[in-house]
Amino acid sequence: MHQHDHIREQMPLATAGALDANEERELSAHLSTCSACEAEFEKWRELGAGLRRMPTPQAPTAMVERVRASLMSQMLVRAEQRSNRRMMAWLVLFAWTTTLATWPILRLISHDAETFLNISFVHTYWLLIGFTVLGWVAAAVAAGVLGARHRYERRTA
């Protein structure tokens, strides 16, 4: 009885053409010896043939256009979001690079001016340190806000 159950499970797959060569041989061998299974398989064949003769359903043109427009809109929004993230990353990188490049330039200028004019630039270094720390904190806050916005956009998409 177990073999009959297995063969009956394979019948719909055989009518759909989803069996491999070994399974088809096994099914054919069983059907040649079992008339009850052969009669049931003939019903499955008729059902499969009837389903293949049915027309394929088509989606309404208006619905297809709405879906296409929606997909295009989503693609444009995602492209803009990627562009915005790249621009923000570039601006943060530019700010950090500019800040770090300012140190040696200011050091060079202040050392020459200090020796030439006999002026102390210690106050200027503290301002530069404050400017650097403030720039890094602002970049970190911008990165945090950008990350939170990105997570929110992914959740709502």
Side-chain angles (χ1 to χ4, degrees):
M1 228 21 214
H2 177 67
Q3 185 181 13
H4 289 284
D5 293 337
H6 177 68
I7 295 297
R8 286 191 176 109
E9 288 175 0
Q10 288 185 333
M11 287 180 188
L13 298 172
T15 58
L19 294 180
D20 63 20
N22 289 337
E23 292 171 329
E24 283 185 27
R25 279 193 296 269
E26 179 185 344
L27 180 67
S28 296
H30 180 79
L31 293 178
S32 66
T33 60
C34 181
S35 60
C37 288
E38 186 177 10
E40 186 176 341
F41 185 64
E42 189 56 40
K43 291 178 186 175
W44 276 107
R45 268 195 209 153
E46 290 174 14
L47 179 64
L51 287 174
R52 282 189 284 281
R53 284 190 300 270
M54 290 181 68
T56 304
Q58 299 294 322
T61 307
M63 183 175 83
V64 170
E65 288 304 316
R66 278 195 316 266
V67 169
R68 186 176 310 188
S70 174
L71 288 174
M72 287 300 292
S73 173
Q74 288 176 6
M75 286 174 49
L76 290 174
V77 166
R78 286 187 180 142
E80 183 179 355
Q81 289 171 348
R82 280 192 305 269
S83 174
N84 288 344
R85 283 192 294 274
R86 282 188 202 121
M87 181 59 73
M88 181 62 101
W90 185 87
L91 288 173
V92 168
L93 181 65
F94 177 74
W96 282 50
T97 304
T98 304
T99 302
L100 291 175
T102 304
W103 276 92
I105 293 169
L106 187 61
R107 174 74 176 145
L108 179 68
I109 292 171
S110 66
H111 180 68
D112 289 345
E114 184 178 3
T115 57
F116 181 70
L117 298 175
N118 200 14
I119 301 173
S120 175
F121 280 98
V122 173
H123 181 265
T124 306
Y125 287 124
W126 285 110
L127 287 176
L128 184 59
I129 290 171
F131 172 72
T132 302
V133 169
L134 182 65
W136 287 356
V137 168
V141 168
V145 169
L146 183 64
R149 182 175 158 214
H150 178 65
R151 283 190 299 277
Y152 174 76
E153 287 172 354
R154 275 194 303 188
R155 272 187 275 141
T156 58

